[in-house]
Coordinates of all heavy atoms in Angstrom, one line a residue:
M729 N 90.9 -6.9 76.2 CA 90.8 -5.6 75.6 C 90.4 -5.7 74.0 O 89.7 -4.9 73.6 CB 92.1 -4.9 75.8 CG 92.1 -3.5 75.3 SD 90.8 -2.5 76.4 CE 91.5 -1.0 76.4
D730 N 91.0 -6.6 73.4 CA 90.6 -6.8 72.0 C 89.1 -7.1 71.7 O 88.5 -6.6 70.8 CB 91.5 -8.0 71.4 CG 92.9 -7.7 71.2 OD1 93.2 -6.4 71.3 OD2 93.7 -8.5 71.1
K731 N 88.6 -8.0 72.6 CA 87.1 -8.3 72.6 C 86.2 -7.0 72.8 O 85.3 -6.9 72.0 CB 86.8 -9.4 73.6 CG 85.4 -10.0 73.3 CD 85.2 -11.2 74.2 CE 83.9 -11.9 73.9 NZ 83.7 -13.1 74.6
I732 N 86.6 -6.2 73.7 CA 85.9 -4.9 74.0 C 86.0 -4.1 72.8 O 84.8 -3.6 72.4 CB 86.4 -4.2 75.3 CG1 86.1 -5.1 76.6 CG2 85.8 -3.0 75.4 CD1 86.8 -4.6 77.8
L733 N 87.1 -3.9 72.3 CA 87.2 -3.0 71.1 C 86.5 -3.5 69.9 O 85.9 -2.8 69.2 CB 88.7 -2.8 70.7 CG 89.6 -1.9 71.6 CD1 91.0 -2.0 71.3 CD2 89.0 -0.6 71.8
S734 N 86.5 -4.9 69.7 CA 85.8 -5.5 68.5 C 84.3 -5.3 68.8 O 83.6 -5.0 67.9 CB 86.1 -7.0 68.6 OG 85.3 -7.6 67.6
S735 N 83.8 -5.3 70.1 CA 82.3 -5.3 70.3 C 82.0 -3.8 70.1 O 80.9 -3.5 69.5 CB 82.1 -5.5 71.8 OG 82.2 -6.9 72.0
I736 N 82.8 -2.8 70.5 CA 82.5 -1.4 70.2 C 82.5 -1.2 68.8 O 81.6 -0.4 68.3 CB 83.6 -0.5 71.0 CG1 83.4 -0.6 72.5 CG2 83.4 1.0 70.5 CD1 84.6 0.0 73.3
R737 N 83.4 -1.7 68.0 CA 83.4 -1.4 66.5 C 82.1 -2.1 65.9 O 81.5 -1.5 65.1 CB 84.6 -2.2 65.9 CG 85.8 -1.3 66.0 CD 87.0 -1.9 65.2 NE 88.3 -1.5 65.7 CZ 89.0 -2.2 66.5 NH1 88.8 -3.4 66.8 NH2 90.2 -1.6 67.0
D738 N 81.7 -3.3 66.4 CA 80.5 -3.9 65.9 C 79.2 -3.0 66.2 O 78.4 -2.8 65.3 CB 80.3 -5.2 66.5 CG 81.1 -6.3 66.1 OD1 81.8 -6.2 65.0 OD2 81.2 -7.2 66.7
V739 N 79.1 -2.5 67.3 CA 78.0 -1.7 67.6 C 78.0 -0.3 66.9 O 77.0 0.1 66.3 CB 77.9 -1.2 69.2 CG1 77.0 -0.1 69.5 CG2 77.7 -2.4 70.0
Y740 N 79.2 0.3 66.6 CA 79.4 1.5 65.9 C 78.9 1.3 64.4 O 78.3 2.1 63.8 CB 80.8 2.0 65.9 CG 81.2 3.2 65.2 CD1 80.7 4.4 65.7 CD2 81.7 3.2 63.9 CE1 80.9 5.6 64.9 CE2 81.9 4.3 63.2 CZ 81.6 5.5 63.6 OH 81.8 6.7 63.0
N741 N 79.2 0.1 63.9 CA 78.9 -0.3 62.5 C 77.5 -0.9 62.3 O 77.0 -1.4 61.4 CB 79.9 -1.3 62.0 CG 81.3 -0.7 61.7 OD1 81.4 0.5 61.4 ND2 82.2 -1.4 62.1
G742 N 76.6 -0.6 63.5 CA 75.3 -1.2 63.4 C 74.9 -2.5 63.8 O 73.9 -2.9 63.8
G743 N 76.0 -3.2 64.3 CA 75.8 -4.6 64.9 C 75.2 -4.5 66.2 O 75.0 -3.5 66.9
A744 N 74.9 -5.7 66.7 CA 74.3 -5.9 68.0 C 74.9 -7.1 68.7 O 74.3 -8.3 68.8 CB 72.8 -6.0 67.9
P745 N 76.2 -7.0 69.2 CA 76.8 -8.1 69.8 C 76.0 -8.5 71.1 O 75.6 -7.7 71.8 CB 78.3 -7.5 70.1 CG 78.1 -6.1 70.1 CD 76.9 -5.8 69.2
M746 N 76.0 -9.9 71.2 CA 75.1 -10.4 72.2 C 75.9 -11.7 72.7 O 76.3 -12.5 71.9 CB 73.7 -10.7 71.7 CG 72.7 -11.1 72.6 SD 71.2 -11.7 71.7 CE 70.8 -10.2 70.9
S747 N 76.0 -11.8 74.1 CA 76.6 -12.9 74.6 C 75.8 -14.2 74.4 O 74.5 -14.0 74.2 CB 76.9 -12.8 76.2 OG 75.6 -12.7 76.8
F748 N 76.2 -15.3 74.5 CA 75.4 -16.6 74.3 C 74.3 -16.6 75.3 O 73.2 -17.0 75.0 CB 76.4 -17.8 74.5 CG 75.7 -19.1 74.3 CD1 75.3 -19.6 73.1 CD2 75.5 -19.8 75.5 CE1 74.6 -20.7 73.0 CE2 74.8 -21.1 75.4 CZ 74.4 -21.5 74.2
S749 N 74.6 -16.3 76.6 CA 73.5 -16.4 77.7 C 72.4 -15.3 77.4 O 71.3 -15.8 77.6 CB 74.2 -16.2 79.0 OG 74.7 -14.9 79.1
I750 N 72.7 -14.2 77.0 CA 71.6 -13.3 76.5 C 70.9 -13.8 75.3 O 69.7 -13.7 75.3 CB 72.3 -11.9 76.2 CG1 72.9 -11.3 77.6 CG2 71.2 -10.8 75.8 CD1 72.0 -11.1 78.7
A751 N 71.7 -14.3 74.3 CA 70.9 -14.8 73.1 C 69.9 -15.9 73.6 O 68.8 -16.0 73.0 CB 72.0 -15.2 72.2
R752 N 70.3 -16.8 74.5 CA 69.5 -17.8 74.9 C 68.2 -17.3 75.6 O 67.2 -17.8 75.3 CB 70.4 -18.7 75.8 CG 69.4 -19.9 76.2 CD 70.4 -21.1 77.0 NE 71.6 -20.5 77.3 CZ 72.4 -20.6 78.5 NH1 71.7 -21.2 79.4 NH2 73.6 -20.1 78.6
K753 N 68.5 -16.2 76.4 CA 67.3 -15.7 77.1 C 66.3 -15.1 76.2 O 65.1 -15.2 76.4 CB 67.7 -14.7 78.2 CG 68.5 -15.2 79.4 CD 68.9 -14.2 80.3 CE 69.6 -14.9 81.5 NZ 70.0 -13.9 82.4
V754 N 66.8 -14.4 75.1 CA 66.0 -13.9 74.1 C 65.1 -14.9 73.3 O 63.9 -14.7 73.3 CB 66.8 -13.0 73.1 CG1 65.9 -12.6 71.9 CG2 67.3 -11.7 73.8
L755 N 65.8 -16.0 73.0 CA 65.1 -17.0 72.3 C 64.0 -17.7 73.3 O 63.0 -18.0 72.8 CB 66.1 -18.1 71.9 CG 67.0 -17.7 70.7 CD1 68.1 -18.8 70.4 CD2 66.1 -17.5 69.4
Q756 N 64.4 -17.9 74.5 CA 63.4 -18.5 75.4 C 62.2 -17.6 75.6 O 61.1 -18.1 75.8 CB 64.1 -18.8 76.8 CG 65.1 -19.9 76.8 CD 65.9 -20.0 78.1 OE1 65.9 -19.1 79.0 NE2 66.6 -21.2 78.2
H757 N 62.4 -16.3 75.7 CA 61.4 -15.3 75.8 C 60.4 -15.5 74.7 O 59.2 -15.7 74.8 CB 61.9 -13.9 75.8 CG 60.8 -12.8 75.8 ND1 60.0 -12.6 76.8 CD2 60.3 -12.1 74.7 CE1 59.1 -11.7 76.5 NE2 59.3 -11.4 75.3
F758 N 60.9 -15.5 73.4 CA 60.0 -15.7 72.2 C 59.4 -17.1 72.2 O 58.2 -17.3 71.7 CB 60.7 -15.4 71.0 CG 61.0 -14.0 70.9 CD1 62.2 -13.3 70.9 CD2 59.9 -13.0 70.5 CE1 62.5 -12.0 70.8 CE2 60.1 -11.6 70.5 CZ 61.3 -11.2 70.7
E759 N 60.1 -18.1 72.6 CA 59.5 -19.5 72.6 C 58.3 -19.6 73.6 O 57.3 -20.2 73.4 CB 60.6 -20.5 73.1 CG 61.6 -20.8 72.0 CD 62.7 -21.7 72.4 OE1 62.7 -22.1 73.6 OE2 63.5 -22.0 71.6
R760 N 58.4 -18.8 74.7 CA 57.3 -18.8 75.6 C 56.1 -18.0 75.1 O 55.0 -18.3 75.4 CB 57.7 -18.1 77.0 CG 58.5 -19.1 77.9 CD 58.7 -18.4 79.3 NE 60.0 -17.9 79.1 CZ 60.4 -16.7 79.5 NH1 59.6 -15.8 80.0 NH2 61.7 -16.3 79.4
K761 N 56.3 -17.1 74.3 CA 55.2 -16.3 73.6 C 54.5 -17.1 72.6 O 53.3 -16.8 72.3 CB 55.8 -14.9 73.0 CG 56.3 -14.0 74.1 CD 55.3 -13.5 75.0 CE 55.9 -12.5 76.0 NZ 54.8 -12.0 76.9
L762 N 55.1 -18.1 72.0 CA 54.4 -18.7 70.9 C 53.1 -19.4 71.2 O 52.1 -19.2 70.3 CB 55.4 -19.9 70.5 CG 55.2 -20.5 69.1 CD1 55.2 -19.5 68.0 CD2 56.2 -21.5 68.7
P763 N 52.8 -19.9 72.4 CA 51.5 -20.6 72.6 C 50.4 -19.4 72.6 O 49.3 -19.8 72.1 CB 51.6 -21.2 74.0 CG 53.1 -21.5 74.1 CD 53.8 -20.4 73.4
E764 N 50.7 -18.2 73.0 CA 49.7 -17.1 72.9 C 49.2 -16.9 71.6 O 48.0 -16.5 71.3 CB 50.2 -15.9 73.6 CG 50.5 -16.0 75.1 CD 51.1 -14.6 75.5 OE1 51.0 -13.6 74.8 OE2 51.4 -14.7 76.8
V765 N 50.0 -17.0 70.5 CA 49.7 -16.8 69.2 C 48.6 -17.8 68.7 O 47.8 -17.4 67.8 CB 51.1 -16.8 68.3 CG1 50.7 -16.9 66.8 CG2 52.0 -15.8 68.7
Q766 N 48.6 -18.9 69.3 CA 47.7 -19.9 68.8 C 46.2 -19.6 69.3 O 45.2 -20.3 68.9 CB 48.1 -21.3 69.3 CG 49.4 -21.7 68.6 CD 49.9 -22.9 69.1 OE1 49.5 -23.5 69.9 NE2 51.1 -23.3 68.5
G767 N 46.0 -18.6 70.1 CA 44.7 -18.2 70.6 C 43.7 -17.8 69.5 O 42.5 -17.8 69.7
F768 N 44.3 -17.5 68.4 CA 43.4 -17.1 67.2 C 42.4 -18.2 66.8 O 41.4 -18.0 66.4 CB 44.4 -16.7 66.0 CG 43.6 -16.0 64.9 CD1 43.2 -14.8 65.0 CD2 43.5 -16.7 63.7 CE1 42.4 -14.2 64.1 CE2 42.7 -16.1 62.7 CZ 42.2 -14.8 62.8
D769 N 43.0 -19.5 67.0 CA 42.2 -20.7 66.6 C 40.9 -20.8 67.5 O 40.0 -21.5 67.1 CB 42.9 -21.8 66.6 CG 44.0 -21.9 65.5 OD1 43.9 -21.2 64.5 OD2 45.0 -22.6 65.7
E770 N 40.9 -20.2 68.7 CA 40.0 -20.2 69.5 C 38.8 -19.3 69.3 O 37.6 -19.4 69.8 CB 40.4 -20.0 71.1 CG 41.4 -21.0 71.5 CD 41.9 -20.7 73.0 OE1 41.1 -20.0 73.7 OE2 43.0 -21.1 73.3
L771 N 39.1 -18.3 68.5 CA 38.0 -17.3 68.1 C 36.9 -17.9 67.3 O 37.2 -18.8 66.5 CB 38.7 -16.0 67.3 CG 39.8 -15.3 68.1 CD1 40.2 -14.2 67.2 CD2 39.2 -14.8 69.4
T772 N 35.6 -17.4 67.6 CA 34.6 -17.9 66.7 C 34.7 -17.2 65.4 O 35.4 -16.2 65.3 CB 33.2 -17.6 67.4 OG1 33.1 -16.2 67.6 CG2 33.1 -18.3 68.8
D773 N 33.9 -17.6 64.4 CA 33.9 -16.8 63.1 C 33.4 -15.4 63.3 O 34.0 -14.4 62.8 CB 33.0 -17.6 62.2 CG 33.5 -18.9 61.7 OD1 34.8 -19.1 61.8 OD2 32.7 -19.7 61.2
R774 N 32.5 -15.2 64.3 CA 31.9 -13.9 64.5 C 33.1 -13.0 65.2 O 33.2 -11.8 64.7 CB 30.6 -13.9 65.4 CG 30.1 -12.5 65.8 CD 29.6 -11.8 64.4 NE 28.4 -12.1 64.3 CZ 27.5 -11.6 63.3 NH1 27.9 -10.5 62.7 NH2 26.3 -12.0 63.1
E775 N 33.7 -13.5 66.1 CA 34.8 -12.9 66.8 C 36.0 -12.4 65.7 O 36.5 -11.3 65.8 CB 35.4 -13.6 67.9 CG 34.4 -13.7 69.0 CD 34.8 -14.8 70.1 OE1 35.7 -15.5 69.8 OE2 34.2 -14.8 71.2
K776 N 36.2 -13.4 64.8 CA 37.2 -13.1 63.8 C 36.8 -12.0 62.9 O 37.5 -11.0 62.5 CB 37.5 -14.3 63.0 CG 38.3 -15.3 63.7 CD 38.4 -16.5 62.9 CE 39.2 -17.7 63.7 NZ 39.3 -19.1 63.0
E777 N 35.4 -11.9 62.6 CA 34.9 -10.8 61.7 C 34.9 -9.5 62.5 O 35.3 -8.4 61.9 CB 33.3 -11.2 61.4 CG 33.2 -12.3 60.5 CD 31.5 -12.7 60.5 OE1 30.7 -11.9 61.1 OE2 31.3 -13.7 59.8
I778 N 34.7 -9.5 63.7 CA 34.6 -8.3 64.5 C 36.1 -7.8 64.6 O 36.4 -6.7 64.4 CB 34.2 -8.6 66.1 CG1 32.7 -9.1 66.0 CG2 34.4 -7.3 66.9 CD1 31.7 -8.0 65.7
L779 N 37.0 -8.8 64.9 CA 38.5 -8.4 64.9 C 39.0 -7.8 63.6 O 39.7 -6.7 63.7 CB 39.3 -9.5 65.4 CG 40.8 -9.2 65.6 CD1 41.0 -8.2 66.5 CD2 41.4 -10.6 66.1
E780 N 38.5 -8.2 62.5 CA 38.9 -7.8 61.2 C 38.4 -6.4 61.0 O 39.1 -5.5 60.5 CB 38.4 -8.7 60.1 CG 38.9 -8.1 58.8 CD 39.0 -9.3 57.7 OE1 38.7 -10.5 58.0 OE2 39.3 -8.9 56.5
L781 N 37.1 -6.2 61.4 CA 36.5 -4.8 61.3 C 37.2 -3.9 62.2 O 37.5 -2.7 61.7 CB 35.0 -4.9 61.5 CG 34.2 -5.7 60.6 CD1 32.8 -5.8 61.0 CD2 34.3 -5.0 59.1
L782 N 37.6 -4.2 63.3 CA 38.5 -3.4 64.4 C 39.7 -3.0 63.6 O 40.1 -1.9 63.7 CB 38.8 -4.1 65.6 CG 37.6 -4.1 66.7 CD1 38.0 -5.0 67.8 CD2 37.3 -2.7 67.1
A783 N 40.4 -4.0 62.9 CA 41.7 -3.8 62.3 C 41.5 -2.9 61.2 O 42.5 -2.1 60.8 CB 42.2 -5.1 61.8
Q784 N 40.3 -2.8 60.6 CA 40.1 -1.9 59.5 C 39.8 -0.4 60.0 O 39.6 0.5 59.2 CB 38.8 -2.3 58.7 CG 39.1 -3.5 57.9 CD 37.8 -4.1 57.2 OE1 36.8 -3.5 57.0 NE2 38.1 -5.4 56.7
G785 N 39.7 -0.3 61.3 CA 39.5 1.0 61.9 C 38.1 1.4 62.2 O 37.8 2.5 62.6
L786 N 37.1 0.4 62.2 CA 35.8 0.7 62.4 C 35.5 1.0 63.9 O 36.2 0.2 64.7 CB 34.9 -0.4 61.9 CG 34.4 -0.2 60.4 CD1 35.5 -0.4 59.5 CD2 33.3 -1.2 60.1
L787 N 34.6 1.8 64.2 CA 34.2 2.0 65.6 C 33.1 0.9 66.0 O 32.5 0.3 65.1 CB 33.6 3.4 65.8 CG 34.4 4.6 65.4 CD1 33.6 5.8 65.4 CD2 35.7 4.7 66.3
Y788 N 33.0 0.7 67.3 CA 32.0 -0.2 67.8 C 30.6 0.0 67.2 O 29.9 -0.9 66.7 CB 31.9 -0.2 69.3 CG 33.0 -0.7 70.1 CD1 34.2 -1.1 69.4 CD2 33.0 -0.8 71.4 CE1 35.3 -1.7 70.2 CE2 34.0 -1.4 72.2 CZ 35.2 -1.8 71.6 OH 36.2 -2.3 72.3
K789 N 30.2 1.3 67.1 CA 28.9 1.5 66.5 C 28.8 1.2 65.1 O 27.8 0.6 64.6 CB 28.7 3.1 66.7 CG 27.4 3.6 65.9 CD 26.4 4.0 66.8 CE 25.1 4.7 66.1 NZ 24.3 3.6 65.3
E790 N 29.9 1.4 64.3 CA 30.0 1.0 62.9 C 29.8 -0.5 62.7 O 29.3 -0.9 61.7 CB 31.2 1.6 62.3 CG 31.2 3.2 62.2 CD 32.5 3.7 61.8 OE1 33.6 3.3 62.2 OE2 32.6 4.8 60.9
I791 N 30.6 -1.1 63.6 CA 30.6 -2.6 63.5 C 29.3 -3.0 63.8 O 28.6 -4.0 63.2 CB 31.7 -3.2 64.4 CG1 33.1 -2.9 64.0 CG2 31.5 -4.8 64.6 CD1 34.1 -3.1 65.0
A792 N 28.6 -2.5 64.8 CA 27.3 -3.0 65.2 C 26.2 -2.8 64.0 O 25.4 -3.7 63.8 CB 26.8 -2.2 66.5
D793 N 26.3 -1.6 63.5 CA 25.4 -1.3 62.2 C 25.7 -2.3 61.1 O 24.7 -2.8 60.5 CB 25.5 0.1 61.9 CG 25.1 1.1 62.8 OD1 24.3 0.7 63.8 OD2 25.5 2.3 62.8
K794 N 27.0 -2.5 60.9 CA 27.4 -3.4 59.7 C 26.9 -4.9 59.9 O 26.6 -5.6 59.0 CB 28.8 -3.3 59.5 CG 29.4 -4.0 58.3 CD 30.9 -3.7 58.0 CE 31.4 -4.2 56.8 NZ 31.2 -3.3 55.6
K795 N 27.0 -5.2 61.2 CA 26.7 -6.7 61.6 C 25.2 -6.8 62.1 O 24.9 -8.0 62.4 CB 27.7 -7.3 62.5 CG 29.1 -7.4 61.9 CD 29.1 -8.5 60.9 CE 30.3 -8.6 60.1 NZ 30.3 -9.5 59.0
F796 N 24.5 -5.7 62.1 CA 23.2 -5.8 62.7 C 23.1 -6.5 64.0 O 22.3 -7.3 64.3 CB 22.2 -6.6 61.7 CG 22.2 -6.1 60.3 CD1 23.0 -6.7 59.3 CD2 21.7 -4.9 60.0 CE1 23.0 -6.3 58.1 CE2 21.7 -4.4 58.7 CZ 22.3 -5.1 57.7
I797 N 23.9 -6.0 64.9 CA 23.9 -6.4 66.3 C 24.0 -5.1 67.2 O 24.3 -4.0 66.7 CB 25.1 -7.3 66.7 CG1 26.6 -6.7 66.2 CG2 24.9 -8.6 65.9 CD1 27.7 -7.6 66.6
S798 N 23.8 -5.2 68.5 CA 23.9 -4.1 69.4 C 25.4 -3.8 69.6 O 26.3 -4.5 69.6 CB 23.1 -4.3 70.7 OG 23.9 -5.2 71.4
I799 N 25.6 -2.4 70.2 CA 26.9 -2.1 70.6 C 27.4 -3.0 71.8 O 28.6 -3.3 71.9 CB 27.0 -0.7 71.0 CG1 26.8 0.2 69.7 CG2 28.3 -0.3 71.6 CD1 26.7 1.6 69.9
D800 N 26.5 -3.3 72.6 CA 26.9 -4.2 73.8 C 27.3 -5.6 73.3 O 28.2 -6.2 73.9 CB 25.6 -4.3 74.7 CG 25.3 -3.1 75.5 OD1 26.3 -2.3 75.7 OD2 24.2 -2.9 76.0
T801 N 26.7 -6.1 72.4 CA 27.1 -7.4 71.7 C 28.5 -7.2 71.2 O 29.3 -8.2 71.3 CB 26.1 -7.8 70.7 OG1 24.9 -8.0 71.2 CG2 26.6 -9.2 70.1
V802 N 28.8 -6.1 70.4 CA 30.1 -5.9 70.0 C 31.1 -5.9 71.2 O 32.2 -6.5 71.1 CB 30.2 -4.6 69.1 CG1 31.7 -4.3 68.7 CG2 29.4 -4.7 68.0
K803 N 30.8 -5.2 72.2 CA 31.7 -5.1 73.3 C 31.9 -6.5 74.0 O 33.0 -6.7 74.4 CB 31.1 -4.1 74.4 CG 31.1 -2.7 74.0 CD 30.4 -1.8 75.0 CE 30.4 -0.4 74.6 NZ 29.8 0.5 75.5
K804 N 30.9 -7.3 74.1 CA 31.0 -8.7 74.5 C 31.9 -9.5 73.7 O 32.9 -10.2 74.2 CB 29.5 -9.3 74.7 CG 29.6 -10.8 75.2 CD 30.0 -10.6 76.7 CE 29.8 -12.0 77.3 NZ 30.3 -12.1 78.6
H805 N 31.8 -9.4 72.3 CA 32.8 -10.0 71.4 C 34.1 -9.6 71.7 O 35.1 -10.4 71.6 CB 32.2 -9.9 70.0 CG 31.1 -10.7 69.6 ND1 31.0 -12.1 69.8 CD2 29.9 -10.3 69.0 CE1 29.9 -12.4 69.3 NE2 29.1 -11.4 68.8
V806 N 34.4 -8.3 71.7 CA 35.7 -7.7 72.0 C 36.3 -8.2 73.2 O 37.5 -8.6 73.3 CB 35.6 -6.1 71.9 CG1 37.0 -5.6 72.2 CG2 35.3 -5.8 70.4
G807 N 35.5 -8.3 74.3 CA 36.0 -8.8 75.6 C 36.5 -10.2 75.4 O 37.4 -10.7 76.0
N808 N 35.7 -11.1 74.7 CA 36.1 -12.4 74.5 C 37.3 -12.5 73.7 O 38.2 -13.4 73.9 CB 34.8 -13.2 73.8 CG 33.7 -13.5 74.7 OD1 33.8 -13.3 75.9 ND2 32.5 -13.5 74.0
I809 N 37.5 -11.6 72.7 CA 38.6 -11.6 71.8 C 39.9 -11.3 72.7 O 40.9 -12.1 72.6 CB 38.5 -10.6 70.7 CG1 37.4 -11.0 69.7 CG2 39.8 -10.3 70.0 CD1 37.0 -10.0 68.8
Y810 N 39.8 -10.3 73.6 CA 41.0 -9.9 74.4 C 41.4 -11.2 75.3 O 42.5 -11.5 75.5 CB 40.5 -8.9 75.3 CG 40.4 -7.5 74.6 CD1 40.5 -7.3 73.2 CD2 40.1 -6.3 75.4 CE1 40.4 -6.0 72.7 CE2 39.9 -5.1 74.8 CZ 40.2 -4.9 73.5 OH 40.0 -3.7 72.9
R811 N 40.3 -11.9 75.9 CA 40.6 -12.9 76.8 C 41.2 -14.1 76.0 O 42.2 -14.7 76.5 CB 39.3 -13.4 77.4 CG 39.4 -14.5 78.3 CD 38.2 -14.8 79.0 NE 37.0 -15.0 78.1 CZ 36.8 -16.0 77.4 NH1 37.6 -17.1 77.4 NH2 35.7 -16.2 76.6
K812 N 40.6 -14.4 74.9 CA 41.2 -15.6 74.2 C 42.6 -15.3 73.5 O 43.4 -16.3 73.4 CB 40.2 -15.9 73.0 CG 39.0 -16.5 73.4 CD 37.9 -16.8 72.4 CE 36.7 -17.4 72.9 NZ 35.8 -17.7 71.8
L813 N 42.9 -14.1 73.2 CA 44.2 -13.8 72.6 C 45.2 -13.3 73.6 O 46.4 -13.0 73.3 CB 44.1 -12.6 71.5 CG 43.3 -13.0 70.3 CD1 43.2 -11.8 69.3 CD2 43.8 -14.2 69.6
H814 N 44.8 -13.2 74.9 CA 45.6 -12.8 76.0 C 46.2 -11.5 75.7 O 47.4 -11.2 75.9 CB 46.8 -13.8 76.3 CG 46.3 -15.2 76.4 ND1 45.7 -15.6 77.6 CD2 46.2 -16.2 75.6 CE1 45.4 -16.9 77.5 NE2 45.6 -17.4 76.3
V815 N 45.2 -10.5 75.5 CA 45.6 -9.1 75.3 C 44.7 -8.3 76.1 O 43.8 -8.6 76.7 CB 45.5 -8.7 73.8 CG1 46.4 -9.6 72.9 CG2 44.0 -8.8 73.4
N816 N 45.2 -7.0 76.3 CA 44.4 -6.0 77.2 C 43.9 -4.9 76.5 O 43.2 -4.1 77.0 CB 45.6 -5.5 78.3 CG 46.0 -6.5 79.1 OD1 45.3 -7.4 79.7 ND2 47.3 -6.6 79.2
N817 N 44.1 -4.7 75.1 CA 43.6 -3.5 74.5 C 43.5 -3.8 72.9 O 43.9 -4.8 72.5 CB 44.3 -2.3 74.7 CG 45.7 -2.4 74.3 OD1 46.1 -2.7 73.2 ND2 46.6 -2.2 75.2
K818 N 42.8 -2.8 72.3 CA 42.5 -3.0 70.9 C 43.8 -3.1 70.1 O 43.9 -3.9 69.1 CB 41.6 -2.0 70.4 CG 41.1 -2.0 68.9 CD 40.1 -1.0 68.5 CE 40.4 0.4 68.8 NZ 39.5 1.4 68.3
V819 N 44.8 -2.4 70.3 CA 46.1 -2.3 69.6 C 46.7 -3.6 69.6 O 47.2 -4.2 68.7 CB 47.0 -1.2 70.2 CG1 48.3 -1.2 69.5 CG2 46.3 0.2 69.9
E820 N 46.7 -4.3 70.9 CA 47.4 -5.6 71.0 C 46.7 -6.5 70.2 O 47.2 -7.4 69.5 CB 47.6 -6.0 72.6 CG 48.5 -5.2 73.4 CD 48.5 -5.5 74.7 OE1 47.7 -6.5 75.1 OE2 49.3 -5.0 75.6
A821 N 45.4 -6.5 70.2 CA 44.5 -7.4 69.5 C 44.8 -7.4 68.0 O 45.0 -8.4 67.3 CB 43.1 -7.4 69.9
I822 N 44.7 -6.2 67.5 CA 45.0 -5.9 66.1 C 46.4 -6.3 65.7 O 46.6 -7.0 64.6 CB 44.8 -4.4 65.7 CG1 43.2 -4.2 65.9 CG2 45.2 -4.1 64.4 CD1 42.9 -2.6 65.9
N823 N 47.4 -6.1 66.5 CA 48.7 -6.6 66.2 C 48.8 -8.0 66.1 O 49.4 -8.6 65.2 CB 49.7 -6.0 67.3 CG 50.1 -4.6 67.1 OD1 49.8 -3.9 66.1 ND2 50.5 -4.0 68.2
K824 N 48.1 -8.8 67.0 CA 48.1 -10.2 66.9 C 47.4 -10.6 65.6 O 47.7 -11.6 64.9 CB 47.4 -10.8 68.1 CG 48.4 -10.8 69.2 CD 48.0 -12.0 70.3 CE 49.0 -12.2 71.3 NZ 48.7 -13.3 72.2
F825 N 46.3 -9.9 65.3 CA 45.5 -10.3 64.1 C 46.4 -10.1 62.9 O 46.4 -11.1 62.0 CB 44.2 -9.3 64.1 CG 43.5 -9.5 62.8 CD1 42.7 -10.7 62.6 CD2 43.5 -8.5 61.8 CE1 42.0 -10.8 61.3 CE2 42.8 -8.7 60.6 CZ 42.0 -9.7 60.4
N826 N 47.1 -9.0 62.8 CA 48.0 -8.8 61.7 C 49.0 -9.9 61.6 O 49.4 -10.3 60.5 CB 48.6 -7.4 61.8 CG 47.5 -6.3 61.4 OD1 46.5 -6.6 60.7 ND2 47.7 -5.2 62.0
H827 N 49.5 -10.3 62.8 CA 50.6 -11.4 62.8 C 49.9 -12.7 62.3 O 50.6 -13.5 61.5 CB 51.1 -11.6 64.2 CG 52.0 -12.8 64.3 ND1 53.2 -12.7 63.9 CD2 51.8 -14.0 64.8 CE1 53.9 -13.9 64.1 NE2 53.0 -14.7 64.7
F828 N 48.7 -13.1 62.5 CA 48.0 -14.2 62.1 C 47.9 -14.1 60.6 O 47.9 -15.2 59.8 CB 46.7 -14.4 62.7 CG 46.9 -14.7 64.2 CD1 46.2 -13.9 65.1 CD2 47.6 -15.8 64.5 CE1 46.3 -14.3 66.4 CE2 47.6 -16.1 65.9 CZ 46.9 -15.4 66.9
K829 N 47.5 -13.0 60.0 CA 47.3 -12.9 58.5 C 48.5 -13.2 57.7 O 48.4 -13.6 56.7 CB 46.7 -11.5 58.2 CG 45.2 -11.3 58.7 CD 44.6 -10.0 58.2 CE 45.5 -8.9 57.7 NZ 44.8 -7.8 57.3
N830 N 49.7 -12.8 58.3 CA 50.9 -12.9 57.5 C 51.6 -14.3 57.6 O 51.4 -15.1 58.2 CB 52.0 -11.9 58.0 CG 51.4 -10.5 57.8 OD1 50.6 -10.2 56.9 ND2 51.8 -9.5 58.7

């Protein structure tokens, strides 16, 4: 009973009590995610440029005009970026990019 009351007080005060087994699962989850982060090294210089421009909020057309390439080429680069970073959309790719920069 004391442990339950202590846990309730911890949560009430903004804490997050976690059992050892749950803490281990959380750590294992993040350890498994670590290899995906290294996908950034697989990107070509052009793909990194495209990703940076996406992170700046540029549209495919704007990127194409800025880099003097076609929109289809931008789309191809973006597809390669998604595949190499193991993401499914622009938001996930930008989040990973921002993680790499920090």
